[in-house]
């Protein structure tokens, strides 16, 4: 039978969140039923539910940073058992057969990945996200959360963590490399921790030095104020990799000038407007301007294991389900250090 569960839902972009009862599918043989304990708030949730990336399919429950405990499993499940600590990230299905899926790159499925929310599932229904008490997910897309990471600090790793781990892995960040992280927010603070744990020398590029102490606590060797005149000239040709985590207009040529020859500037933030670039900024020095999204399931599990080994978690502020509307405004205003995580236990006493 389908599972009925409480969830935070919006019926329109300008409406507040409300608590509604939503339906999760009747678990299939390969499905895992997860009792959600913590759900991270990602800026993508805000963009989606405020119709900033196009019309959302309302009514809608968002959330793709999910951590919880396995409550039940289907007869064919082999990877997870009742009581396991698990997580779900940005996707819940893919074809499993195309070139990308068989290469452990399910996020780039050639037949279309099914997102955790606001996506058309294989049965034609619209997926509903993790601001909820329960979720039902195919076992292939359920991650094991290692002991040593609390569920609330693990939840944002399922998006923010893998978003930074993937380009760090792809572009060879490690001992002897110099890495610049642009922005010290929900994504940037994960980039600093992960790159430092990989053995890189990490510099935070921020508009001012106001977060320098925080950056140092997270593992950065220094912070450079990009609001100061001449900052780029002072660091010309210095970095092997730049991880750009901000969703704002930048002078790309100026940032590229701080790369070493053959270095890469990797963008994980998504500005709302097209960016301008003189190709000479790339041709001179044979530099690379790249984009990166998330990673596949194998790499996401690798990231979680790496974080457990190195004591890495998201820096979070815990909130209740009644606090989400206000939290959204604070995220947009940059008033969070560094991720909000919803405690789903608060559904019981909520008034939303």
């Amino acid at each position: 039978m389908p599972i009925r569960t409480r969830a935070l839902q919006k019926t329109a972009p300008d409406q507040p969140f409300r608590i509604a009862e939503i339906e999760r599918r009747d678990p299939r043989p390969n499905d895992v039923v997860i009792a959600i304990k913590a759900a991270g708030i990602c800026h993508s949730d805000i963009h989606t539910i405020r119709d900033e990336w196009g019309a959302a399919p309302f009514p809608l429950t968002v959330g793709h940073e999910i951590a919880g405990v396995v409550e039940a499993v289907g007869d064919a499940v082999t990877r997870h058992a009742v009581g396991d600590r698990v997580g779900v990230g940005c996707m819940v299905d893919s074809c499993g057969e195309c070139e990308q899926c068989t290469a452990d790159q399910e996020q780039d499925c050639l037949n279309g990945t099914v997102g955790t929310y606001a996506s058309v599932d294989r049965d034609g229904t619209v997926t509903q996200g993790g601001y909820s008490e329960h979720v039902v997910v195919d076992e292939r897309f359920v991650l094991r959360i290692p002991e040593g990471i609390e569920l609330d600090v693990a939840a944002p790793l399922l998006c923010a963590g893998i978003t930074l781990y993937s380009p760090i892995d792809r572009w060879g960040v490690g001992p002897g490399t110099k890495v610049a992280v642009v922005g010290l927010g929900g994504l940037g603070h994960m980039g600093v921790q992960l790159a430092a744990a990989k053995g890189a020398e990490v510099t935070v590029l921020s508009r001012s030095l106001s977060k320098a102490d925080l950056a140092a606590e997270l593992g950065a060797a220094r912070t450079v104020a990009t609001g100061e005149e001449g900052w780029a000239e002072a660091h010309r040709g210095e970095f092997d990799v730049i991880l750009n985590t901000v969703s704002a207009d930048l002078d790309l040529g100026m940032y590229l000038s701080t790369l070493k020859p053959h270095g890469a500037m990797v963008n994980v933030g998504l500005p709302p407007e097209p960016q301008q670039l003189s190709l000479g900024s790339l041709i001179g020095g044979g530099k690379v301007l790249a984009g990166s999204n998330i990673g596949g399931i194998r790499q996401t599990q690798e990231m979680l294991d790496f974080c457990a080994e190195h004591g890495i978690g998201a820096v979070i502020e815990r909130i209740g389900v009644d606090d989400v509307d206000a939290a959204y405004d604070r995220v947009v205003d940059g008033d969070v250090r560094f991720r909000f995580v919803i405690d789903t236990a608060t559904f019981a006493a909520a008034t939303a």
Side-chain angles (χ1 to χ4, degrees):
M1 294 179 59
I3 295 172
R4 305 291 297 180
T5 187
R6 287 180 290 190
L8 279 179
Q9 182 187 78
K10 273 201 176 196
T11 57
D14 59 350
Q15 294 299 307
F17 279 102
R18 67 176 188 178
I19 294 177
E21 191 174 68
I22 66 172
E23 186 174 283
R24 303 295 191 182
R25 67 172 178 254
D26 186 4
R28 303 164 184 163
N30 291 309
D31 278 343
V32 176
V33 180
I34 301 168
I36 299 171
K37 303 300 181 182
I41 291 178
C42 177
H43 213 135
S44 299
D45 304 344
I46 301 173
H47 288 308
T48 298
I49 213 158
R50 290 185 173 179
D51 274 357
E52 294 170 353
W53 285 348
F58 293 101
L60 182 63
T61 296
V62 293
H64 57 205
E65 298 178 343
I66 302 168
V69 176
V70 175
E71 193 169 272
V73 297
D75 293 341
V77 170
T78 60
R79 303 183 185 184
H80 306 285
V82 172
D84 285 357
R85 303 163 76 250
V86 295
V88 178
C90 302
M91 52 186 173
V92 292
D93 207 352
S94 71
C95 77
E97 299 174 351
C98 71
E99 178 184 3
Q100 295 302 310
C101 286
T102 56
D104 296 320
Q105 300 291 330
E106 299 92 345
Q107 76 279 11
D108 296 321
C109 176
L110 298 178
N111 294 305
T113 296
V114 178
T116 304
Y117 62 77
S119 189
V120 178
D121 209 342
R122 303 301 179 193
D123 60 4
T125 61
V126 174
T127 55
Q128 303 293 320
Y131 296 6
S132 177
E133 291 185 303
H134 293 84
V135 68
V136 178
V137 181
D138 186 290
E139 70 166 334
R140 294 186 299 127
F141 291 84
V142 178
L143 287 304
R144 177 182 56 83
I145 296 178
E147 295 295 333
I149 309 178
E150 295 299 325
L151 293 178
D152 51 3
V153 301
L157 300 180
L158 277 303
C159 178
I162 186 58
T163 296
L164 271 300
Y165 186 89
S166 185
I168 284 171
D169 183 50
R170 178 181 178 184
W171 295 100
V173 170
T177 58
K178 293 186 177 182
V179 175
V181 177
V182 183
L184 193 67
L187 293 174
H189 94 287
M190 290 306 310
V192 171
Q193 292 183 85
L194 290 165
K198 286 284 189 178
E201 178 186 304
V202 181
T203 298
V204 170
L205 302 181
S206 187
R207 284 172 294 182
S208 72
L209 299 179
S210 63
K211 297 180 180 179
D213 290 343
L214 282 168
E217 290 174 14
L218 294 168
R222 62 181 172 176
T223 297
V224 170
T226 59
E228 295 182 359
E229 189 173 350
W231 76 269
E233 182 64 32
H235 299 280
R236 182 173 295 276
E238 185 171 317
F239 303 116
D240 297 285
V241 177
I242 299 173
L243 301 170
N244 178 22
T245 72
V246 302
S247 297
D249 294 339
L250 295 179
D251 184 337
L252 293 176
M254 181 178 292
Y255 281 83
L256 287 165
S257 73
T258 68
L259 280 176
K260 294 178 181 179
H262 313 296
M265 180 173 176
V266 188
N267 297 274
V268 297
L270 183 60
E273 301 295 334
Q275 304 297 290
Q276 293 188 347
L277 173 68
S278 168
L279 290 181
S281 300
L282 296 176
I283 293 171
K287 299 172 184 178
V288 175
L289 181 64
S292 186
N293 191 5
I294 54 172
I297 295 299
R298 179 198 59 76
Q299 190 178 56
T300 304
Q301 186 64 63
E302 179 183 298
M303 176 273 303
L304 288 169
D305 293 341
F306 180 84
C307 287
E309 179 183 352
H310 293 273
I312 295 173
V315 178
I316 67 168
E317 182 176 334
R318 299 171 188 82
I319 61 172
V321 296
D322 283 338
D323 305 318
V324 176
D325 284 304
Y328 270 29
D329 291 334
R330 286 181 58 192
V331 170
V332 172
D333 291 339
D335 180 26
V336 56
R337 301 275 175 87
F338 286 96
R339 302 289 280 200
F340 284 117
V341 173
I342 304 165
D343 178 359
T344 59
T346 60
F347 270 106
T351 59

